[in-house]
């Protein structure tokens, strides 16, 4: 029905356009015919009218005008006398109308004694009534005939379409509406349709049969996959239950381990307290009495005994220094971090100032890059700078022109701080032992120390989410590098 309406509407539109064009051409042809009639009057009748008017033959004029009035679409004619011999003569045929019409005025000339004189005017007027009536009649005939033709052609097109396409589409629609993936159904076939040569509908039927076969295969594969997924879900459920059980066991072990670590920390704190208080008193007594013996009874002792007493006092002092270093190392791994923005350049300058006050006789060229900042604990990072600068200060003792440089650069998008000196350096083969507690790479008689400073530095840097390492060469110097918050966190949680 929609196709029928569409064909009718389109055909009607085409018919209307062609009809309007045809009517316009007919109208122009009728106008040209009227213009030809006017020209015929000018060529064939104007001379006779002039003679009759000159002779004042009114009957002859009336006869001529009545004859011209019989021309198609001619409505009115009038001859009016003019000139010096005028007698207001006027001869008419037909009647004028108020509506505008096509008209023409012809001047009438008569030649007498070789002189052409204008003796009157012929007014001819044609009406459009006949033209319009003929156009209406032609439009009615065209529209009626075209309407009948349009209806018959549209009906024929619809019947042909239904016979060749529509009924087959209906068959395809019914077959698809009954299609079910769970059942094996017969293939689609169009009854009464020739198979050779195949057309678009045959291609559609072939594609639909192929698509349904592939859908059936996909449905079966999906069914198998769903069954396998159900089995996997069951297995995953059992696995999750096992994970929950293992997590419970692990959580219990973690709690137990946490309890053990807390107990160990308490024992370590008690041990550190014992070292700090219980061992210091005997050491002070040993050192004190040794100094008394040296100061008050040295004249009663031989040189070897005094040497032994000096070594005893030095050993007691070394033991006290080791206790202090041990306590510093212990404190570096306890307590929460107080994170703030630190000016490492200013802190490094303060550390160098303190070292210059301790050793005013040393001339060391120190360069500190300005504007170095980091997020961290002021107390602990101050310990880091103090240990690194003290090491550089100590190991440049034998350099001819000692120098220390503290700065930073970028490595993999992270800030890397470095402290470089031109001191004694060390063999990189022993670099793995560098940050172990109480391990020293130089002889005590060459450079003093307990071997705890770098171990303390490493533990503090690790608590700040970074790492510390060194690069050195014997006799050339050493460079210590450290970073903070390499993984992007600086919340201070331990």
């Amino acid at each position: 029905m929609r196709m029928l309406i569409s064909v009718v509407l389109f055909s009607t539109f085409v018919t209307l356009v062609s009809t309007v064009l045809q009517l316009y051409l007919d109208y122009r042809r009728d106008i040209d015919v009227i213009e030809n009639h006017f020209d015929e009057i000018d060529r064939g009748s104007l001379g006779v009218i002039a003679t009759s008017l000159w002779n004042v033959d009114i009957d002859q004029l009336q006869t001529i005008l009545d004859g011209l009035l019989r021309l198609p679409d001619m409505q009115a004619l009038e001859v009016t006398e003019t000139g010096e011999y005028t007698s207001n003569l006027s001869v008419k045929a037909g009647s004028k109308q108020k509506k505008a019409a096509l008209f023409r005025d012809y001047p009438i000339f008569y030649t007498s004694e070789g002189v052409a004189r204008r003796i009157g005017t012929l007014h001819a007027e044609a009406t459009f009534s006949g033209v319009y009536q003929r156009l209406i009649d032609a439009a009615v005939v065209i529209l009626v005939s075209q309407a009948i033709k349009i209806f018959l052609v549209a009906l024929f097109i619809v019947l042909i379409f239904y016979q060749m396409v529509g009924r087959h589409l209906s068959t395809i629609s019914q077959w698809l509406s009954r299609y079910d993936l769970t059942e094996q159904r017969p293939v689609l076939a169009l009854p009464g349709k020739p198979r050779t040569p195949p057309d678009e509908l045959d291609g559609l039927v072939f594609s639909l049969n192929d698509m349904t076969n592939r859908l059936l295969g996909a449905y079966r594969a999906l069914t198998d996959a769903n069954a396998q997924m159900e089995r996997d879900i069951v297995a995953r459920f059992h696995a999750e239950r096992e994970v929950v059980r293992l997590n419970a066991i692990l959580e219990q072990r973690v709690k137990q381990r946490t309890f053990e670590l807390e107990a160990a920390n308490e024992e370590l704190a008690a041990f550190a307290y014992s070292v700090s208080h219980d061992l210091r008193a005997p050491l002070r007594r040993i050192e004190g009495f040794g100094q008394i013996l040296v100061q008050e009874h040295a004249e009663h002792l031989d040189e070897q005994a005094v040497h032994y007493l000096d070594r005893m006092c030095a050993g007691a002092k070394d033991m006290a220094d080791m206790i202090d270093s041990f306590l510093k190392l212990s404190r570096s791994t306890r307590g929460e971090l107080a994170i703030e923005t630190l000016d490492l350049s200013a802190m490094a300058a303060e550390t160098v100032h303190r070292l210059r006050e301790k050793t005013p006789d040393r001339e060391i060229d120190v360069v500190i890059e300005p504007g170095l900042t980091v997020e961290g604990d002021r107390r602990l990072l101050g310990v880091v700078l103090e240990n690194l600068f003290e090491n550089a200060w100590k190991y440049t003792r034998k350099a001819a022109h000692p120098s220390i440089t503290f700065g930073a650069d970028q490595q993999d998008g992270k800030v890397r701080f470095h402290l470089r000196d031109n001191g004694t350096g060390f063999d990189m083969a022993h670099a793995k032992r560098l940050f172990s507690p109480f391990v020293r790479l130089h002889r005590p008689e060459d450079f003093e120390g307990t071997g705890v400073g770098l171990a303390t530095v490493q533990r503090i840097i690790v608590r700040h989410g970074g790492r510390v390492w060194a690069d050195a060469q014997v006799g050339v110097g050493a460079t210590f590098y450290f970073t903070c918050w390499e993984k992007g966190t600086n919340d201070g949680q331990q």
Side-chain angles (χ1 to χ4, degrees):
M1 182 58 64
R2 288 196 297 270
M3 174 175 286
L4 177 62
I5 294 174
S6 299
V7 171
V8 169
L9 290 178
F10 180 75
S11 301
T12 301
F13 172 76
V14 173
T15 299
L16 290 176
V17 173
S18 62
T19 301
V20 170
L21 180 60
Q22 182 64 41
L23 293 178
Y24 175 76
L25 294 177
D26 291 346
Y27 170 78
R28 293 305 308 171
R29 187 182 63 251
D30 289 344
I31 295 298
D32 292 340
V33 170
I34 294 175
E35 292 289 346
N36 291 332
H37 292 332
F38 284 150
D39 293 338
E40 290 176 2
I41 293 174
D42 186 14
R43 292 191 302 268
S45 302
L46 202 57
V48 178
I49 293 175
T51 302
S52 300
L53 181 61
W54 176 262
N55 296 322
V56 193
D57 190 347
I58 297 176
D59 294 333
Q60 181 67 23
L61 285 174
Q62 189 67 52
T63 301
I64 295 172
L65 294 182
D66 290 340
L68 293 176
L69 190 62
R70 296 188 183 93
L71 293 174
D73 302 315
M74 195 63 63
Q75 176 176 305
L77 295 104
E78 181 180 4
V79 174
T80 304
E81 186 180 17
T82 60
E84 56 185 2
Y85 304 107
T86 182
S87 59
N88 295 326
L89 178 65
S90 176
V91 180
K92 299 180 181 179
S95 60
K96 297 181 180 181
Q97 294 184 357
K98 295 181 179 180
K99 294 183 179 180
L102 190 62
F103 64 90
R104 184 179 296 182
D105 291 326
Y106 304 91
I108 301 173
F109 291 92
Y110 182 79
T111 303
S112 176
E113 298 178 356
V115 179
R117 296 182 179 87
R118 181 174 181 176
I119 60 175
T121 301
L122 171 63
H123 175 79
E125 185 175 306
T127 180
F128 287 153
S129 299
V131 175
Y132 293 153
Q133 186 61 45
R134 288 192 296 274
L135 291 178
I136 293 174
D137 295 340
V140 171
V141 172
I142 292 174
L143 292 177
V144 172
S145 61
Q146 290 294 329
I148 297 173
K149 182 176 70 174
I150 289 171
F151 177 76
L152 294 178
V153 170
L155 183 61
F156 177 75
I157 291 175
V158 170
L159 292 176
I160 291 298
F161 178 80
Y162 176 77
Q163 182 67 22
M164 299 179 64
V165 179
R167 63 192 185 100
H168 298 306
L169 292 179
S170 178
T171 301
I172 294 173
S173 176
Q174 294 175 6
W175 184 84
L176 288 175
S177 66
R178 295 192 301 268
Y179 184 76
D180 189 355
L181 284 174
T182 60
E183 298 181 5
Q184 184 69 37
R185 301 195 56 85
V187 297
L188 173 62
L190 300 180
K193 189 175 187 305
R195 298 300 177 188
T196 54
D199 58 10
E200 292 83 357
L201 288 176
D202 293 322
L204 176 62
V205 169
F206 175 79
S207 298
L208 287 175
N209 286 326
D210 181 65
M211 181 190 69
T212 54
N213 290 332
R214 287 187 282 110
L215 283 176
L216 183 60
Y219 174 76
R220 290 174 179 174
L222 183 60
T223 302
D224 296 338
N226 286 337
Q228 181 62 38
M229 186 179 296
E230 291 179 358
R231 292 191 293 269
D232 292 342
I233 291 174
V234 173
R236 182 175 179 180
F237 174 74
H238 292 301
E240 289 178 351
R241 292 182 60 183
E242 182 65 16
V243 169
V244 171
R245 186 183 68 84
L246 293 177
N247 283 338
I249 297 174
L250 180 61
E251 185 177 354
Q252 182 62 31
R253 291 181 179 177
V254 169
K255 290 181 180 179
Q256 182 179 357
R257 181 60 177 165
T258 302
F259 177 76
E260 293 174 355
L261 288 175
E262 290 176 353
N265 286 333
E266 292 178 358
E267 292 177 2
L268 180 60
F271 176 72
Y273 179 83
S274 176
V275 168
S276 176
H277 294 81
D278 297 342
L279 293 184
R280 283 180 183 274
L283 284 176
R284 282 195 298 268
R285 287 197 298 271
I286 293 173
E287 184 180 5
F289 284 114
Q291 291 177 354
I292 292 173
L293 286 174
V294 172
Q295 295 172 1
E296 297 182 1
H297 302 283
E299 67 274 6
H300 303 295
L301 301 174
D302 57 15
E303 184 177 350
Q304 187 176 9
V306 173
H307 175 68
Y308 289 158
L309 286 174
D310 288 337
R311 292 188 63 183
M312 182 182 69
C313 291
K317 185 177 182 304
D318 290 342
M319 179 61 107
D321 291 340
M322 291 185 67
I323 291 174
D324 291 337
S325 299
F326 175 77
L327 292 176
K328 289 181 180 179
L329 181 63
S330 176
R331 286 194 294 269
S332 68
T333 57
R334 297 201 308 269
E336 295 184 358
L337 300 181
I339 303 298
E340 59 179 306
T341 302
L342 304 178
D343 186 348
L344 286 187
S345 299
M347 294 174 64
E350 294 175 0
T351 302
V352 171
H353 180 70
R354 289 194 297 269
L355 290 173
R356 291 191 187 278
E357 288 181 344
K358 288 182 182 180
T359 57
D361 56 330
R362 297 212 41 203
E363 293 292 335
I364 301 179
D365 184 16
V366 180
V367 178
I368 300 175
E369 182 179 337
L372 301 179
T373 60
V374 73
E375 300 288 326
D377 186 284
R378 179 177 295 276
R379 178 181 63 84
L380 294 181
L381 289 183
V383 172
V384 169
L385 293 178
E386 183 176 356
N387 279 282
L388 292 178
F389 272 100
E390 284 181 352
N391 278 351
W393 208 269
K394 177 170 57 177
Y395 290 111
T396 56
R397 184 184 303 160
K398 299 180 180 180
H401 301 285
S403 65
I404 300 174
T405 303
F406 178 61
D409 55 18
Q410 292 282 338
Q411 184 185 40
D412 299 330
K414 298 292 183 180
V415 178
R416 181 180 68 172
F417 301 97
H418 62 264
L419 191 145
R420 184 177 295 111
D421 66 70
N422 63 344
T424 305
F426 58 87
D427 188 352
M428 287 295 293
H430 306 292
K432 293 183 178 180
R433 303 173 52 227
L434 190 63
F435 298 99
S436 299
F438 304 105
V439 173
R440 306 188 69 246
L441 302 184
H442 300 85
R443 296 185 302 173
E445 56 268 22
D446 293 334
F447 298 99
E448 72 280 0
T450 60
V452 178
L454 292 180
T456 303
V457 169
Q458 185 188 44
R459 296 191 180 189
I460 292 175
I461 293 300
V462 169
R463 292 193 65 189
H464 283 75
R467 57 192 178 95
V468 59
W469 69 98
D471 185 19
Q473 187 176 351
V474 177
V476 177
T479 302
F480 284 85
Y481 301 92
F482 69 91
T483 62
C484 293
W485 317 118
E486 284 197 349
K487 296 182 179 180
T489 174
N490 59 353
D491 56 4
Q493 297 296 325
Q494 299 297 318

